[in-house]
Amino acid sequence: MSDYTAKDIQALEGWEAVRKRPSMYIANTSTEGLHQLVTELVDNSIDEAIAGYCTEINVIIHPDNSVTEIDDGRGIPVDKHESGRSALEVIMTELHSGGKFDGKSSIGYKVAGGLHGVGLTVVNFLSEWFQVEVRRNGNIYRQKYEFGRPVTEVKVVGKSSGNGTTNNFLPDKTIFEGIEFSFDMLSNRLRELSFLNKGVKISLTDERTGKDRVFHYDGGIVSFVQLLNQNKNILHNNPIYIQKERDNVQVEVALQFTDDYSEQVFCYANNINTHNGGTHLTGFRSALTRVFNDYAKNRGLLKGSDASLQGDDIREGLTAVVSVKVPEPQFGGQTKDKLGNREVQGIVESVVNEELSTYLEENPSVAKNIVLKSVLAAQAREAARKARELTRRKGALEDADLPETLADCSEKSPENSEIFLVEGISAGGLAKQARDRRFQAILPMKGKGINVEKWRLDKVLANATIRTLITALGTGIGLDDFDLAKLRYGKVIIMADADVDGAHIRTLLLAFFYRHMPELIQKGHLYVAQPPLYRVYKGRKEKYIDNEHEMNKHLLALAFENTSISNVRCERPYTDLQAHQIIENISAFDEQLMNLRRRGIDADRLFKDWFVDSIATPLYRVKTGMGEYYRFEGEQFEVEIEPEKEEETKEEPEQLDMLEEKDDIEKPEKENEVIVEEATDLPEIKEIKQILEKLSKREITPQDMIDSNNGKEKWEKWEEWEDETPEDKKEKEEDVLFKMEEKDGSINTASSARELFEKILEIGKHGINVQRYKGLSEMNSEQLRVTTMDPVVRTLIQIKLEDVVEADLMFTTLMGSKVEPRREFIEKFALQVTNLDIYGS
């Protein structure tokens, strides 16, 4: 027996405790915890906004995945603290330090999300470096930290006419599993904060991709509800809005009913998204159920004296946002995903009860429509209950209850097993031969299933394919029946053909899981298999390739094994490394031109004017309430406006002439106003400049990228050569720029960079066979196993829910009952299609 004494007891100081056990403070060290770092900083700025001192917040993701967060609040105090150090350094290096503990109204923090005084400190402790700048007292103060420790004093580095704080940090790679920030995850959070704080302007810029978004909503949570319902059929025009303060608790609710069959409720406490609900959500739901039942009974809208509606019936098709601001919130840990204040439940319940009852009395037609829809939902609920009985497993060991089409695995532990949902019976049979029976189950999916966006749960459960799927998974379905703990497989993998029908089936299944089993996605159980697109073989050697890009890389690699490239302007042939770099840059150049075309820009004209002829005809970005587009100076453009305002604001086509005051143009707030600004900072243009700089070092000019008729200028270098062969003279006559010599002595020539790229690809294809797969059934079982099902070599895409609002809008747009949003979506993104299957399956 080993000794256990006082020597074994460790007392960790704050810095060491956070770095040793970061999950106590930021949930985990994976994706969620990484993004929590940014959330902590933004929440502090929002607290300044709540106090009335901040109007604008900017978040910037830099190419190295460092992040800058800027606000125009009061700035962190920098004067000397009682400890003898600057207050800024105390806040940055001491846990539980801050000005929000006692809710002093004198400093403005009567209500705040960050009350523990650890958020900013924790971000500093978990960063490789952190630099903070404070604009205050007319000065700019700066201090820098490395791994949480200050490496400089607080210094004055400049003057400032305003106030605010700038935080710049790089997450510690030794702490986090990865430091790649997701634009969508941050966008989701910042959008929420903008809705929850009327008038605060929040911007997000991603310097890695050039993407940016600005969130600024004067309508607050009413605008939030309207955004969520923009592609749905609503039962009443304006959202119901409730706002009241009681016992120092501020309650704000916006709700609107649609003819959809799913419920969507977002709840917040002190601007923090309480994903797991809490007392405020319980109070809201209780009031909603009571108010509508009382209204329906008093007006005889329910059959039978004992009849009543359940909460699920009333909330069918409901979109709501519930926001409370509490002086002393009680959250479940630093991640604050659930509100625990008991008094808040009663306050929210009484406020919603009073205000909603008044609204129903004043709007009887709206009330009646909602009640009648709820009655239909109750009838469907009973039908769904009966249908669920057909899919529920009676016992964990009763495998006889499983679908006949399911080929189950022998492994009983969900953590060690997986199920493939395979498109088609024939492909399912193939997958059964290819699988590892020990841990891989196969469920062939006959037909395309059902579009769950258009049907209630009872109709969904009437579909045989869906019933079979639910039974196989074992979780049940519906709020009262679904239990993730009963999931029979740790990985649920959708495996469909790489064609239009396969994409449709994947989308239908994703919509089903998103609407009826969202926990499956949230807990990381849902995946999509990636069968290869090509099989390349020569003799007994073969290689499987996933996409067009990888196919090109493979062909280029084959070509370079047997080919050397020379440029007539250079005395020596390119080395293998130089040739690879040239071809990669030519490919990247074509990709940037394609990206410009997707923006609706005449990319060929832009390149010729700007980079070949050095004319640089000004390009302008035209922004309207209907979207944005690009035009060169002098081109006509139609002013697109909101349809309902077209009559009073219709304008004739204008021309983009030289704009002398273009630098003074500001973004208007009204959606039907038009903004015209220079578009010289597009990421594609910056990338093209860098590519051309690299190619110029290899004697390749912009003219060489697009034109093979460059005249005699190409030969100025070659004319100086002392020894000219007849072959050299012939190439000059043909205006050749590149020569490709293969090991067998054969020679190919190219007159432009694009022709060089195309001919190198052709050389790579010599002697090989290429098979393009459009369906799983085109493989044999061994090919399917080694490419798509073997865990050692396969590629799986994990389905993640990073931006709930965007996901909901996408499913509603693509799968909902309204046709117009779907048509607009297709028109808007038609030029961005990169994998269009013209022939189908």
Side-chain angles (χ1 to χ4, degrees):
M1 179 177 175
S2 60
D3 293 334
Y4 177 47
T5 68
K7 295 180 181 179
D8 299 307
I9 304 302
Q10 293 180 312
L12 302 179
E13 60 171 301
W15 174 86
E16 191 176 5
V18 172
R19 290 182 62 82
K20 196 171 186 65
R21 296 288 185 268
S23 296
M24 287 187 61
Y25 301 89
I26 56 166
N28 54 51
T29 55
S30 61
T31 303
E32 294 80 5
L34 177 69
H35 290 78
Q36 182 69 20
L37 300 182
V38 180
T39 298
E40 294 290 351
L41 300 182
V42 175
D43 283 350
N44 285 337
S45 299
I46 287 295
D47 288 342
E48 281 287 283
I50 295 174
Y53 298 102
C54 175
T55 61
E56 187 167 342
I57 301 168
N58 301 299
V59 176
I60 305 166
I61 310 172
H62 301 293
D64 63 349
N65 276 295
S66 64
V67 171
T68 297
E69 189 265 350
I70 310 168
D71 70 42
D72 62 351
R74 290 171 290 183
I76 299 172
V78 294
D79 49 315
K80 186 173 290 188
H81 184 256
E82 61 183 18
S83 65
R85 294 181 295 162
S86 165
L88 173 61
E89 185 174 318
V90 171
I91 290 173
M92 294 294 297
T93 59
E94 297 290 340
L95 291 176
H96 307 292
S97 58
K100 307 174 187 177
F101 292 109
D102 55 9
K104 289 180 180 178
S105 58
S106 59
I107 62 172
Y109 290 130
K110 183 179 178 182
V111 173
L115 298 176
H116 300 153
V118 303
L120 184 58
T121 315
V122 166
V123 178
N124 183 29
F125 287 173
L126 298 179
S127 295
E128 192 170 314
W129 53 260
F130 193 118
Q131 180 173 285
V132 58
E133 288 185 355
V134 175
R135 300 178 301 283
R136 191 178 172 104
N137 308 323
N139 295 320
I140 301 175
Y141 302 85
R142 178 186 295 164
Q143 188 172 31
K144 190 168 183 178
Y145 310 81
E146 292 180 0
F147 302 102
R149 304 295 200 188
V151 293
T152 67
E153 299 293 330
V154 178
K155 299 178 181 179
V156 176
V157 295
K159 297 292 183 180
S160 175
S161 59
N163 294 339
T165 303
T166 298
N167 299 301
N168 183 208
F169 73 98
L170 178 68
D172 189 345
K173 301 179 185 68
T174 65
I175 297 289
F176 295 94
E177 297 172 10
I179 63 168
E180 187 81 16
F181 283 97
S182 165
F183 182 87
D184 288 337
M185 286 186 72
L186 292 179
S187 177
N188 184 44
R189 176 59 180 154
L190 298 181
R191 183 197 296 109
E192 290 177 339
L193 289 172
S194 179
F195 280 124
L196 294 166
N197 298 274
K198 297 178 183 179
V200 179
K201 182 179 179 181
I202 305 177
S203 66
L204 173 63
T205 302
D206 191 342
E207 293 181 346
R208 302 168 303 180
T209 63
K211 294 172 67 176
D212 63 86
R213 288 184 183 174
V214 177
F215 306 108
H216 192 189
Y217 302 99
D218 290 327
I221 63 173
V222 171
S223 297
F224 196 177
V225 170
Q226 290 172 328
L227 173 69
L228 293 167
N229 287 343
Q230 66 179 10
N231 292 331
K232 301 177 183 178
N233 295 313
I234 54 178
L235 299 186
H236 49 104
N237 290 328
N238 298 315
I240 303 168
Y241 180 62
I242 299 170
Q243 183 181 30
K244 207 163 196 178
E245 182 173 340
R246 183 165 294 171
D247 297 335
N248 293 323
V249 174
Q250 300 172 33
V251 179
E252 192 178 11
V253 177
L255 63 152
Q256 189 176 40
F257 289 87
T258 72
D259 67 356
D260 269 23
Y261 305 119
S262 57
E263 168 193 355
Q264 195 168 30
V265 178
F266 294 87
C267 52
Y268 303 87
N270 292 21
N271 288 314
I272 294 167
N273 191 333
T274 46
H275 300 282
N276 290 328
T279 52
H280 52 331
L281 179 61
T282 302
F284 168 71
R285 285 180 168 173
S286 297
L288 198 70
T289 303
R290 178 182 297 109
V291 168
F292 275 100
N293 267 304
D294 289 346
Y295 184 90
K297 288 179 180 179
N298 293 337
R299 282 155 183 76
L301 298 177
L302 301 178
K303 296 180 179 180
S305 57
D306 297 330
S308 64
L309 299 169
Q310 292 188 7
D312 293 348
D313 305 329
I314 297 167
R315 296 194 302 271
E316 182 188 89
L318 170 68
T319 301
V321 178
V322 180
S323 175
V324 296
K325 292 184 171 65
V326 187
E328 296 291 339
Q330 299 170 13
F331 292 110
Q334 179 63 13
T335 53
K336 305 167 187 171
D337 58 357
K338 189 172 185 178
L339 183 66
N341 299 65
R342 290 189 177 183
E343 72 279 6
V344 173
Q345 178 176 338
I347 292 172
V348 173
E349 189 170 349
S350 63
V351 168
V352 174
N353 188 43
E354 294 169 8
E355 299 297 318
L356 186 56
S357 296
T358 301
Y359 176 88
L360 297 184
E361 292 291 341
E362 295 175 352
N363 298 272
S365 60
V366 173
K368 185 176 181 181
N369 287 339
I370 297 172
V371 170
L372 292 179
K373 184 177 187 295
S374 300
V375 170
L376 292 176
Q379 297 170 355
R381 169 173 49 81
E382 180 60 23
R385 182 190 64 79
K386 295 177 180 178
R388 278 199 301 268
E389 294 296 329
L390 300 176
T391 65
R392 183 184 293 123
R393 288 190 62 194
K394 297 179 180 179
L397 300 178
E398 294 183 32
D399 288 347
D401 293 332
L402 295 176
E404 293 181 1
T405 54
L406 173 67
D408 208 355
C409 56
S410 56
E411 175 63 58
K412 297 300 180 183
S413 171
E415 293 79 10
N416 301 319
S417 62
E418 55 192 35
I419 183 172
F420 286 84
L421 312 180
V422 186
E423 173 193 356
I425 300 301
S426 60
L430 194 66
K432 290 177 184 179
Q433 298 175 40
R435 69 176 176 141
D436 187 324
R437 295 170 178 268
R438 294 172 299 171
F439 65 94
Q440 292 180 324
I442 306 296
L443 181 66
M445 306 289 289
K446 184 179 180 180
K448 288 191 176 181
I450 187 172
N451 182 357
V452 299
E453 290 291 309
K454 297 182 177 180
W455 301 101
R456 280 193 175 94
L457 183 58
D458 60 318
K459 295 294 185 183
V460 172
L461 293 177
N463 181 271
T465 300
I466 295 296
R467 284 204 314 271
T468 300
L469 172 60
I470 297 168
T471 303
L473 296 181
T475 59
I477 192 172
L479 291 176
D480 298 329
D481 201 43
F482 180 82
D483 185 355
L484 188 63
K486 295 181 180 179
L487 181 65
R488 303 181 66 245
Y489 309 96
K491 287 187 175 72
V492 179
I493 305 168
I494 301 172
M495 188 163 70
D497 293 343
D499 61 6
V500 170
D501 284 341
H504 190 200
I505 289 170
R506 281 193 297 273
T507 305
L508 288 169
L509 286 172
L510 289 173
F512 166 75
F513 286 120
Y514 174 70
R515 290 302 185 194
H516 295 290
M517 294 184 179
E519 279 190 72
L520 212 66
I521 301 174
Q522 294 163 359
K523 300 301 182 182
H525 294 288
L526 188 61
Y527 297 80
V528 171
Q530 288 291 98
L533 190 60
Y534 294 102
R535 174 182 172 235
V536 179
Y537 59 97
K538 182 178 182 180
R540 293 187 177 182
K541 292 184 178 180
E542 64 180 7
K543 182 179 178 65
Y544 295 94
I545 298 174
D546 293 336
N547 52 56
E548 295 282 355
H549 179 69
E550 291 298 321
M551 181 66 176
N552 283 346
K553 285 181 62 176
H554 181 65
L555 293 176
L556 293 174
L558 292 176
F560 286 126
E561 287 179 358
N562 303 298
T563 308
S564 63
I565 300 175
S566 58
N567 184 326
V568 299
R569 300 190 182 117
C570 303
E571 295 182 3
R572 298 183 182 87
Y574 293 126
T575 65
D576 288 346
L577 178 59
Q578 290 172 343
H580 272 90
Q581 291 172 342
I582 289 170
I583 295 299
E584 287 174 358
N585 281 305
I586 295 172
S587 177
F589 170 79
D590 281 341
E591 183 178 343
Q592 297 308 319
L593 288 188
M594 180 58 70
N595 290 339
L596 288 172
R597 294 186 186 103
R598 288 170 182 162
R599 290 181 183 269
I601 298 172
D602 185 342
D604 296 320
R605 174 184 173 179
L606 184 146
F607 181 71
K608 188 174 187 303
D609 285 1
W610 288 33
F611 297 101
V612 177
D613 298 335
S614 299
I615 297 173
T617 304
L619 177 70
Y620 295 97
R621 180 189 293 111
V622 183
K623 295 183 179 180
T624 75
M626 302 293 288
E628 68 177 36
Y629 50 97
Y630 297 82
R631 293 291 184 271
F632 288 101
E633 181 182 81
E635 289 184 331
Q636 288 190 336
F637 69 96
E638 297 289 336
V639 177
E640 298 185 54
I641 57 176
E642 295 288 355
E644 61 270 20
K645 299 179 181 178
E646 186 171 355
E647 299 245 341
E648 41 183 71
T649 57
K650 186 174 182 180
E651 300 181 22
E652 294 298 321
E654 298 184 8
Q655 281 196 338
L656 289 171
D657 297 319
M658 291 297 293
L659 301 180
E660 296 180 359
E661 300 179 358
K662 54 182 171 286
D663 292 336
D664 299 327
I665 296 175
E666 296 182 356
K667 182 176 179 178
E669 296 299 326
K670 296 181 181 179
E671 291 185 353
N672 64 327
E673 293 189 19
V674 178
I675 311 156
V676 180
E677 58 189 17
E678 272 197 290
T680 58
D681 59 344
L682 294 177
E684 293 88 348
I685 294 175
K686 294 179 181 178
E687 186 66 25
I688 288 174
K689 289 179 180 178
Q690 294 177 6
I691 292 170
L692 293 177
E693 288 175 3
K694 294 175 183 176
L695 291 173
S696 68
K697 296 176 182 178
R698 305 299 173 207
E699 302 293 335
I700 300 174
T701 69
Q703 181 75 23
D704 300 330
M705 304 301 291
I706 59 172
D707 194 352
S708 61
N709 299 311
N710 297 332
K712 295 182 179 179
E713 295 177 358
K714 289 184 176 180
W715 307 102
E716 291 177 358
K717 178 74 176 178
W718 215 8
E719 290 284 356
E720 299 174 3
W721 291 8
E722 295 180 359
D723 299 322
E724 286 189 7
T725 66
E727 289 80 12
D728 293 336
K729 294 178 181 179
K730 182 179 179 182
E731 286 182 344
K732 285 194 291 185
E733 292 173 358
E734 294 175 353
D735 194 28
V736 171
L737 177 59
F738 298 103
K739 183 168 68 173
M740 295 150 277
E741 185 173 354
E742 298 183 59
K743 287 184 178 179
D744 62 4
S746 59
I747 295 177
N748 283 278
T749 61
S751 301
S752 68
R754 183 171 285 112
E755 187 180 2
L756 170 67
F757 182 79
E758 293 171 352
K759 289 196 173 182
I760 284 290
L761 286 179
E762 286 300 320
I763 292 173
K765 294 177 183 178
H766 290 171
I768 67 170
N769 298 292
V770 179
Q771 179 183 4
R772 188 186 189 281
Y773 295 118
K774 291 194 66 181
L776 299 172
S777 298
E778 293 184 14
M779 302 181 191
N780 59 41
S781 60
E782 179 62 16
Q783 291 171 343
L784 184 61
R785 183 187 68 80
V786 299
T787 63
T788 314
M789 300 184 69
D790 185 349
V792 177
V793 296
R794 72 187 181 191
T795 300
L796 294 181
I797 296 177
Q798 186 177 38
I799 303 301
K800 296 181 179 180
L801 190 57
E802 295 184 343
D803 190 332
V804 178
V805 175
E806 286 293 332
D808 187 79
L809 289 174
M810 186 60 65
F811 279 116
T812 303
T813 299
L814 298 181
M815 312 295 287
S817 57
K818 294 182 73 173
V819 176
E820 186 64 20
R822 192 152 45 250
R823 183 185 66 80
E824 292 175 357
F825 178 88
I826 294 171
E827 290 177 348
K828 181 177 181 180
F829 294 105
L831 291 175
Q832 298 187 23
V833 174
T834 58
N835 188 22
L836 179 63
D837 185 354
I838 299 175
Y839 302 105
S841 58

